[in-house]
């Protein structure tokens, strides 16, 4: 049975700030530069979720992408879109709001529900700007 | 002498919130929906500035785009990139931080300095997401 | 009061065929080339609707883009997305399914409902492939 | 000798329908949703073919991309562009016209001719919409 | 009869240099910056040609875009793609190879042949990089 | 500690020519086609550098992308942007200016300085046109 990788893109617009609570604004600026601006800034984030599985011979699908999309929207987009990543998102509490940490957190949120659909989570990719993106493969 | 339109794109990532101070959060939500979220959200904004002028026969340019780019960066990008549009940007104080108002404010900031370069400001366009943008022609 | 142009993008995926019923397949091929293929072909169409209006001083908006989006989805996208333009779309019956005619038909569908929102329809643009698009301004 | 991966993009616009012949329209709708619409719909598909090989020291190429492009056009694009994937494409007969199956079929068509050029087929990727794509690595 | 604007995109990859023959390299650098580099540099140029005309009621087209595409390829792309704009392109001889001048030259090459197809040339747009483009309307 | 891949895009516009010095123009044309044009041609190249590393628990970063960006600009972009790859770039001397060779050369330039930042170089990808790109993983 051929194994295929399928990817779904979802988008969210959010505010965030990179900083460590125990440091002063100046110390944070030395580490995170303009990303540490105390009054927040924001992005149009693009999220690419890749799952992997056998192509079901009868259906012709690895899995119905609509279900993947619904999962991502319910578990992630509805909690983070038009929100403040540092202040509003439960699974980011106590974490630095970097794109790296975001990708790991999304992975942890999605891994079990996607397995419950009978497929395997392969990659979480987050594009923060046209010039940078992060990928996490659960390693 | 042929008249040409030249456009320069610059980008900025910023947080904002759409709301009217005199209204409650609930009232603002009824008008602005999720864009009124009190803890802010943000975007990767793309700014397109179009200027218009005769092509200088000797130089072959309408004007050096590097100068247009410098103007936009000094007068706009440096003030708004990785900032909070409502809280940090002098020329947006007392205004609702909508893309429409942003475009008008950018126009007012740029109109004279661009004229001083010997060309005419034609259009300020701001792309907020892949699904919506605003254009202002000084009308 | 400053006048602003705001644009909303919506997308639809549809099948179509360019042909005139009264002609043979060969004659249609001579006019429309591979776009006349009798078994249909299809595209990811991108629709850009631009409206024009005064910026409401109190609200900071020309109009709520969410309303424009809803109108386009109800009146156009729900009828044409994942459909056959020639066979399934009421407002294209008896017309050649060209992008030009599609743009005019969309204009006619949208002109009154958008006016009812208090703004003016300015342009309907349809991008058929990365290499061609059509614009209609109601002229 | 360094090993390099080179990718060529080709495009095709086609109609298709996801359905199983033995099921009713209603049953197909329950499985495939709007993608099962009986009158077809369509897409601008983007096909990315990645091959892998040693960089030829004398030529500086893995292989001439023009040859890869020609192969893809002759063996795939000419058969599927501006066509109906279900009705017109020989290598899709008797198969469900899903993007997953399309990727596997393309792989089978390309594997030998690309090997005959002295390089190895690495990946077939098909982008169906801006929100979803499929990758097949011959596993 | 409704009037429609249709646009065709074509692409070319070319080398050029911005300089005036009568000036020294240093003087040219002061005017054109790094674009005056004596050993040339280059771009992936995108050319958008917009024509305007009545929609033919019988055909449903303003004009067959394939004919527009053929014209652009024969009269422009074949002469400039994978060439040096300063050295190889007949209609750029004796001119500064700026994007502005390129747009005007393209207009002059296309205006009559496009009129011979029964439509009106409306705009020549050249995108030089993702951050700048030029438009010429024959004014 | 989770391992993350982070990618930075940088751009450069350059001229080049594919040819072997010991061959005639006609022989080069037979191998490299229009890419061997003696008067050069050029591209807007996009360079994607992917590095891999543990996410620093205290900082939340694999590494500061600003440092990666600085490295790429100093070691590559400053030497190649608005230049002639064959004539002007020290690390391409004596090599055929193919995208494959360019990717390997960039890898060799970056491997040590990126390791000095405490992360591992994973991939150098160069997009030459919208239809082709090359990836090198140090194999």
């Amino acid at each position: 049975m051929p194994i295929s990788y399928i990817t779904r893109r979802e988008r969210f617009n959010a505010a965030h700030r990179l900083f460590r609570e125990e440091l002063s604004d100046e110390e944070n600026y030395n580490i995170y530069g303009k990303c540490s601006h105390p009054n927040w800034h924001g992005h149009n984030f693009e999220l690419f979720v890749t799952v992997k599985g056998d192509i079901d011979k009868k259906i012709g699908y690895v899995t119905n992408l609509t279900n993947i999309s619904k999962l991502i929207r319910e578990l992630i987009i509805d909690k983070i879109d038009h929100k403040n990543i540092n202040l509003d998102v439960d699974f980011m509490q106590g974490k630095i709001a970097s794109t790296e940490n975001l990708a790991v957190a999304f992975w942890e949120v999605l891994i079990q529900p996607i397995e419950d659909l009978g497929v395997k989570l392969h990659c979480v990719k987050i594009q923060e700007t046209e010039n940078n993106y992060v990928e996490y493969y659960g390693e």
Side-chain angles (χ1 to χ4, degrees), chain A residues 6-130:
Chain A
I6 57 176
T7 298
R8 177 75 192 172
R9 182 185 75 128
E10 301 287 343
R11 301 177 298 110
F12 59 96
N13 309 317
H16 75 153
R17 182 196 170 195
L18 298 182
F19 75 115
R20 289 159 59 190
E21 282 190 43
E22 69 272 22
L23 302 183
S24 69
D25 282 1
E26 202 189 330
E27 289 167 317
N28 277 311
Y29 186 85
N30 289 339
I31 298 174
Y32 299 107
K34 58 187 181 178
C35 296
S36 70
H37 180 64
N39 283 342
W40 322 98
H41 68 283
H43 296 288
N44 300 341
F45 292 90
E46 289 182 273
L47 167 58
F48 299 82
V49 174
T50 303
V51 305
K52 170 189 181 175
D54 293 335
I55 303 176
D56 183 301
K57 208 178 170 172
K58 236 173 162 177
I59 309 286
Y61 271 165
V62 166
T63 188
N64 198 322
L65 255 189
T66 308
N67 295 335
I68 303 291
S69 172
K70 263 187 213 161
L71 268 188
I72 304 171
R73 291 188 190 209
E74 280 170 28
L75 299 174
I76 293 174
I77 305 301
D78 287 355
K79 291 184 172 176
I80 203 167
D81 183 41
H82 282 75
K83 295 279 166 58
N84 184 309
I85 298 175
N86 301 68
L87 301 180
D88 299 319
V89 181
D90 55 2
F91 54 72
M92 289 304 290
Q93 292 314 299
K95 298 176 188 168
I96 292 161
S98 66
T99 319
E100 284 95 327
N101 280 346
L102 213 50
V104 174
F106 289 175
W107 178 279
E108 286 164 0
V109 166
L110 292 172
I111 182 85
Q112 191 55 53
I114 277 181
E115 213 151 284
D116 294 346
L117 291 177
V119 289
K120 216 172 135 18
L121 184 57
H122 176 68
C123 181
V124 167
K125 174 181 164 180
I126 304 174
Q127 182 107 24
E128 197 187 49
T129 74
E130 64 185 38

